[in-house]
Amino acid sequence: MPATTLAPDPVVELAGLEPVETIKRRWPMILGGLVTVAMIVGLGNELLSAGLAGLHRTVPANPLFYVCFALLYITYPIGDLLIFRYLWRIPWLGGFVALNQKRIANDVVLGYSGEAYFYAWARARSHMVAAPFGAVKDVSILSGIAGNGATILLCMIALPLGYQLIPPHILKTVIWSAALTLAISGGIMAFSKRVFSLPRRQLWVIFDIHVARIALTSVLLALCWHFAMPGVSVGMWLFLSAGRLLVSRLPFLPNKDLLFANFAILIVGQDRALSEMIAFTAALTLLVHVVLIAVISAGSAIAKAREWQAAA
């Protein structure tokens, strides 16, 4: 009598695949959690390295400084929120919280770690969008192009006016950096059909929002500085705000913060007051980062506790 061959039990096979499917479903949550932990570690490192030392400096007395600072702080996530509301109709509150965490991750962890966090956040909410990678990539690239465009424009304006104030070796580096920035942006635009995933009409809307955000943040930063040091005109602060954007965007420049500080002191003078004001602004930004992460983490913990209580 021939041996009977038993057919594999489909229930057993499916049970064996279940952990793999669970991991596939949970990887966005795992990635988001890892970036969140990295944010907390990064903020802790900033605090331990005297990141809040600037708060012990001269505190601006004009309340308009804090109004402009608050507007400056939220302009970054609101710009992204408008973009992704336009693309995906993400919720206002949930999207604003996620995009704030994206901004903080980019500030205190690594460049583009915020994009990884937001991609994981969007991927975990697949009911909003099926494949978010292309949109997140395009938004990030367009942000860089808008910043590079502003940098090149500022170089064209500032170098003829202030090249005599820049040491020759720094001036040479600025010119090479501007040329590389132009080449990178030009290359991306030349191969735009292969680089971008979104339709051209959407790309232009996103680009316009990025440009508006760059202009608005430059003006708000100048107003912050003006209300902190009213002895200097708003026009001069606008010039320095543009210079700060220029210095921050150019590659190859060593010690960018020190270079900008020296340039600002050369233009404005009042080196001690200016240094204290810049240190205070940086420390206040870090403090807001810390408070927001604490509030968001506490809110998330409370929400999860309520879910466990409801399931129990």
Side-chain angles (χ1 to χ4, degrees):
M1 182 177 179
T4 304
T5 303
L6 296 177
D9 189 346
V11 176
V12 174
E13 289 192 350
L14 288 176
L17 292 175
E18 191 173 30
V20 177
E21 292 300 319
T22 300
I23 293 173
K24 287 182 178 180
R25 289 195 303 268
R26 291 184 178 177
W27 76 260
M29 181 180 65
I30 295 171
L31 177 59
L34 290 174
V35 177
T36 300
V37 171
M39 276 190 281
I40 295 173
V41 172
L43 287 170
N45 180 62
E46 294 284 346
L47 292 174
L48 293 175
S49 61
L52 296 180
L55 293 178
H56 298 292
R57 310 296 179 89
T58 302
V59 176
N62 193 331
L64 291 176
F65 168 85
Y66 301 96
V67 173
C68 291
F69 176 84
L71 293 174
L72 174 65
Y73 188 91
I74 65 173
T75 296
Y76 292 96
I78 284 181
D80 282 343
L81 181 61
L82 293 176
I83 289 172
F84 288 106
R85 281 281 301 177
Y86 167 70
L87 293 176
W88 301 338
R89 308 301 298 173
I90 65 174
W92 286 104
L93 181 58
F96 183 73
V97 170
L99 289 166
N100 261 302
Q101 292 180 284
K102 168 181 174 287
R103 181 259 182 94
I104 295 172
N106 282 336
D107 282 355
V108 303
V109 185
L110 293 172
Y112 299 106
S113 59
E115 276 70 21
Y117 172 83
F118 185 69
Y119 171 68
W121 180 86
R123 195 69 181 85
R125 291 155 181 79
S126 56
H127 62 279
M128 293 190 311
V129 55
F133 177 78
V136 174
K137 167 184 64 69
D138 287 1
V139 171
S140 179
I141 292 175
L142 285 172
S143 176
I145 291 176
N148 290 347
T151 299
I152 294 166
L153 178 62
L154 290 173
C155 278
M156 294 172 62
I157 296 172
L159 287 181
L161 297 176
Y163 72 93
Q164 294 178 340
L165 300 174
I166 305 174
H169 67 285
I170 296 294
L171 178 61
K172 184 178 180 180
T173 304
V174 168
I175 293 173
W176 277 107
S177 299
L180 178 62
T181 300
L182 178 62
I184 292 174
S185 299
I188 292 174
M189 296 306 296
F191 295 97
S192 58
K193 291 184 179 180
R194 297 184 178 182
V195 172
F196 295 112
S197 306
L198 296 174
R200 184 177 297 272
R201 179 177 60 84
Q202 291 184 335
L203 293 176
W204 276 111
V205 171
I206 296 168
F207 179 78
D208 290 343
I209 294 175
H210 282 312
V211 170
R213 177 170 58 183
I214 290 172
L216 182 58
T217 52
S218 298
V219 171
L220 287 172
L221 181 59
L223 289 175
C224 280
W225 289 344
H226 172 68
F227 291 127
M229 296 178 62
V232 182
S233 67
V234 176
M236 183 58 70
W237 286 127
L238 283 171
F239 177 75
L240 286 175
S241 178
R244 181 179 180 272
L245 175 65
L246 174 61
V247 170
S248 66
R249 296 292 307 188
L250 289 176
F252 302 140
L253 289 180
N255 299 321
K256 294 181 181 181
D257 292 337
L258 180 61
L259 176 62
F260 171 72
N262 291 335
F263 177 70
I265 290 171
L266 181 64
I267 298 297
V268 175
Q270 307 180 48
D271 53 344
R272 180 177 179 181
L274 181 61
S275 299
E276 290 184 350
M277 185 266 293
I278 293 175
F280 178 81
T281 304
L284 187 58
T285 302
L286 177 59
L287 178 61
V288 176
H289 284 349
V290 172
V291 171
L292 276 179
I293 286 296
V295 171
I296 292 171
S297 299
S300 177
I302 292 172
K304 288 181 180 179
R306 289 177 177 175
E307 290 178 2
W308 292 338
Q309 289 179 355

